């Protein structure tokens, strides 16, 4: 099965990078669920939780808002501030 290449970036550092089967986040238009093969999208994210589903289970991070970009199974999330305590496996 195809995987997503995910990168979570805060304003001052790369927070996390790895593979995932799904990424979920809340945008200004509602909840987004990204899976492999998703059409390209650029979304504005609101404060809340980003969920990264992978082999080790679900990793979570809390962001204060930002942007999400999807293109060719590559997901990039850029946020001003990230609480990454839920990303550790």
């Amino acid at each position: 099965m195809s995987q997503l290449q995910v990168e979570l970036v805060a304003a001052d550092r790369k927070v996390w990078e790895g593979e995932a089967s799904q990424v979920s986040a809340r945008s200004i238009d509602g909840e987004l669920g990204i899976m492999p093969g998703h059409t390209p999208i650029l979304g504005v994210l609101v404060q809340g939780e980003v969920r990264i589903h992978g082999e080790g289970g679900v990793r979570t991070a809390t962001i204060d808002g930002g942007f999400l970009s999807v293109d060719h199974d590559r997901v990039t999330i850029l946020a001003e501030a990230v609480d990454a305590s839920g990303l550790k496996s």
Side-chain angles (χ1 to χ4, degrees):
M1 183 176 153
S2 181
Q3 292 284 303
L4 297 168
Q5 300 300 314
V6 181
E7 188 174 36
L8 177 59
V9 181
D12 60 346
R13 70 192 192 288
K14 182 184 292 186
V15 177
W16 187 85
E17 183 174 29
E19 291 188 339
S21 59
Q22 180 180 347
V23 175
S24 303
R26 194 170 8 149
S27 76
I28 59 172
D29 295 319
E31 190 73 17
L32 291 173
I34 308 298
M35 297 178 72
H38 198 285
T39 57
I41 186 173
L42 178 61
V44 178
L45 301 178
V46 297
Q47 181 177 3
E49 190 175 74
V50 173
R51 291 169 304 286
I52 302 169
H53 304 255
E55 281 187 25
V58 179
R59 294 178 166 96
T60 60
T62 303
I63 64 168
D64 67 344
F67 299 94
L68 176 139
S69 169
V70 178
D71 191 28
H72 294 94
D73 289 341
R74 177 168 289 280
V75 179
T76 304
I77 299 166
L78 175 63
E80 182 69 28
V82 177
D83 175 0
S85 57
L87 289 175
K88 296 172 179 55
S89 39

